[in-house]
Amino acid sequence: MTPVEVDGWDNRTYRLGTTMTVRLPTAAGYVPAVAKENEWLPRLAPALPVAVPRILGLGKPGEGYPYPWSIRGWLPGETANRARIADLSHFAASVAGFLRALQRCDVDGAPVAGEHSWYRGASPEHYDDETRRCLATLTGVVDTERATRVWETALACQWRGSPVWFHGDVAAGNLLVSGGDLAAVIDFGTSGVGDPACDLVIAWTDFTGESRRVFHAAMEQDEGTWARARGWLLWKSLLVLSQVSGTAPEQAAVHHQLINEVLTDHDHVVR
């Protein structure tokens, strides 16, 4: 086996021959995703417009490794950095099309958002204490008064719709492109059913200008859902910024910019 070129945090993935991969959780908290993906990915796949991982088998703990693991089919493509995307607005529409198709999937018996999804799909209120600690830590680094307004708006806009499927980690590393277009979506470890707001964060992390407008329009979500999405982005960027400010200037600059963008977006909405 050989490690894949681009790996994640929650799992370690290895190529097994030319047609398969082996995926191993890195900690106990990521173990529930194994059974969840093994059960639900085959059910979701026929309804989705692009490929998702094909489950081939389940591995048992052994040889010093303590967790269950999975064997999947290899998906061709490369992670979706901008240099590999032919038309960012078209790509934004394709991602939105995937998410809308996922939201239309049957939720009967599906896993409700909670600990297994790291509370993606639930209210961002789960991270309220952590977010407020980060705001206190970053006083003088970010505009904490405006950021607090964004966060409190997100908490106030409670999800009142019917639960739908969400992916939970829609990011460039989990989107594969081929020939410049979206070809596959991977890593459903934080997926479940609930509030889809967490899947909208990519509007700021990967899209800008026209591509962001295309994604926003194609998702057809109400303003409360976008408010919660801004809350999800704010929580994560505040957390990362509080951890790397002063030690990793390039990473800090990225999250500082993301925070500023959601603050500006919020200001435009409330005017």
Side-chain angles (χ1 to χ4, degrees):
M1 296 193 298
T2 58
V4 296
E5 183 177 349
V6 179
D7 211 346
W9 179 266
D10 302 358
N11 298 271
R12 292 290 174 265
T13 303
Y14 299 86
R15 292 291 301 267
L16 181 61
T18 59
T19 62
M20 295 179 288
T21 65
V22 172
R23 179 174 162 90
L24 301 99
T26 58
Y30 307 121
V31 169
V34 176
K36 177 173 60 178
E37 290 184 292
N38 282 15
E39 178 178 358
W40 287 99
L41 280 175
R43 301 194 196 187
L44 295 172
L48 300 175
V50 297
V52 297
R54 183 166 58 98
I55 306 300
L56 301 177
L58 176 66
K60 297 180 179 180
E63 300 298 325
Y65 180 75
Y67 310 127
W69 46 280
S70 57
I71 303 172
R72 291 125 181 270
W74 173 254
L75 286 170
E78 299 177 292
T79 52
N81 69 45
R82 293 195 183 187
R84 294 169 176 157
I85 298 171
D87 180 326
L88 193 58
S89 292
H90 176 73
F91 182 76
S94 296
V95 174
F98 167 82
L99 290 173
R100 293 299 303 277
L102 180 63
Q103 291 172 12
R104 291 191 295 268
C105 289
D106 186 7
V107 301
D108 187 31
V112 176
E115 187 175 5
H116 70 92
S117 66
W118 297 86
Y119 297 93
R120 268 72 163 184
S123 169
E125 186 175 7
H126 179 79
Y127 293 103
D128 186 39
D129 289 346
E130 186 171 61
T131 299
R132 294 186 189 276
R133 286 196 299 271
C134 291
L135 285 166
T137 299
L138 293 169
T139 300
V141 179
V142 301
D143 188 334
T144 52
E145 183 176 337
R146 290 167 69 210
T148 298
R149 289 199 293 269
V150 172
W151 180 246
E152 291 181 347
T153 299
L155 300 188
C157 294
Q158 296 183 13
W159 170 249
R160 301 189 187 280
S162 299
V164 296
W165 272 98
F166 60 87
H167 179 276
D169 192 11
V170 184
N174 291 330
L175 306 174
L176 302 184
V177 296
S178 180
D181 294 327
L182 181 67
V185 178
I186 61 175
D187 195 351
F188 285 70
T190 52
S191 66
V193 297
D195 175 10
C198 58
D199 281 348
L200 303 182
V201 170
I202 193 173
W204 297 279
T205 57
D206 288 79
F207 302 138
T208 185
E210 181 61 21
S211 61
R212 187 178 295 169
R213 287 189 287 273
V214 167
F215 181 75
H216 189 288
M219 287 306 304
E220 299 182 358
Q221 297 293 331
D222 62 29
E223 183 46 45
T225 303
W226 284 103
R228 293 190 302 280
R230 286 190 287 271
W232 280 110
L233 184 284
L234 185 66
W235 157 69
K236 187 60 177 287
S237 284
L238 288 172
L239 179 61
V240 175
L241 185 58
S242 69
Q243 293 170 340
V244 304
S245 185
T247 60
E250 290 186 5
Q251 189 178 9
V254 168
H255 287 278
H256 203 287
Q257 176 64 26
L258 289 172
I259 291 168
N260 286 337
E261 290 193 24
V262 296
L263 300 190
T264 299
D265 281 358
H266 173 80
D267 290 346
H268 287 164
V269 169
V270 299
R271 283 176 185 172

